[in-house]
Amino acid sequence: MSIFQMTKTVLKSLFSRPATLMYPAKPAKITPITRGHVKIDPAKCIACRLCQRKCPTQAICVEPKEKSWQIDQMRCIVCSACVDACPTTCLTMETQHRPAMTARGGIEKYTVAGPKKKEPAAAPAGGAAPAKE
Ligand code: SF4
Ligand code: SF4
């Protein structure tokens, strides 16, 4: 870099506004596609574990028998893979960022609806066929 270019860069930096945002002093810019945090509607979750399998950081843990769904916010990188994979659309990506955490924690646990019970097979019309001898 020549001395001329360096002087130009220094002068530009001296008299221009900082490129970084003053967050949290100034609120972050939020758009309709901002990825803030994952939210679940527990009533719609069938505990199929697809979100857990798709999560690249193992932030989600689903226990179908216990009907529990939990997320570790400290592990979540807000990639939205779980939201895209959920077959019941019970996961959504909220645009609001979570407040900063200063201690370990951030695990949110929910009791969900769980797997759907299978309906018993309907008896054939006219009753069951007699057994052959
Ligand atoms: S949140 Fe969606 S993908 Fe995850 S277990 Fe529940 S229904 Fe399945
Ligand atoms: S947004 Fe990405 S990292 Fe966060 S829980 Fe979903 S899949 Fe995992």
Side-chain angles (χ1 to χ4, degrees), residues 38 54-57 59-60 71 75-82 93:
V38 177
K54 290 284 181 181
C55 180
T57 60
I60 296 178
I71 184 168
R75 278 177 169 264
C76 178
I77 56 169
V78 220
C79 68
S80 202
C82 55
M93 184 58 73

Side-chain angles (χ1 to χ4, degrees), residues 40-41 44-52 60 62 69 82 85-91 112:
I40 185 170
D41 178 357
K44 285 168 71 181
C45 176
I46 57 172
C48 66
R49 277 187 162 160
L50 254 180
C51 53
Q52 181 181 320
I60 296 178
V62 186
W69 184 97
C82 55
C86 181
T88 64
T89 62
C90 63
L91 294 180
V112 298

Side-chain angles (χ1 to χ4, degrees), residues 85-121:
C86 181
T88 64
T89 62
C90 63
L91 294 180
T92 47
M93 184 58 73
E94 299 293 300
T95 54
Q96 292 292 324
H97 297 286
R98 293 198 168 276
M101 287 185 244
T102 54
R104 279 250 164 228
I107 294 179
E108 293 176 12
K109 194 169 184 178
Y110 299 86
T111 301
V112 298
K116 283 183 182 166
K117 286 181 182 164
K118 286 182 183 167
E119 297 289 328

Side-chain angles (χ1 to χ4, degrees), residues 16-72:
S16 61
R17 294 171 62 190
T20 50
L21 298 173
M22 294 295 287
Y23 183 84
K26 283 187 184 173
K29 188 179 170 191
I30 290 177
T31 71
I33 56 167
T34 297
R35 288 182 284 177
H37 68 275
V38 177
K39 189 181 168 193
I40 185 170
D41 178 357
K44 285 168 71 181
C45 176
I46 57 172
C48 66
R49 277 187 162 160
L50 254 180
C51 53
Q52 181 181 320
R53 272 184 259 150
K54 290 284 181 181
C55 180
T57 60
Q58 290 89 46
I60 296 178
C61 181
V62 186
E63 294 293 344
K65 283 184 184 169
E66 295 167 20
K67 295 185 178 180
S68 80
W69 184 97
Q70 74 174 41
I71 184 168
D72 186 344

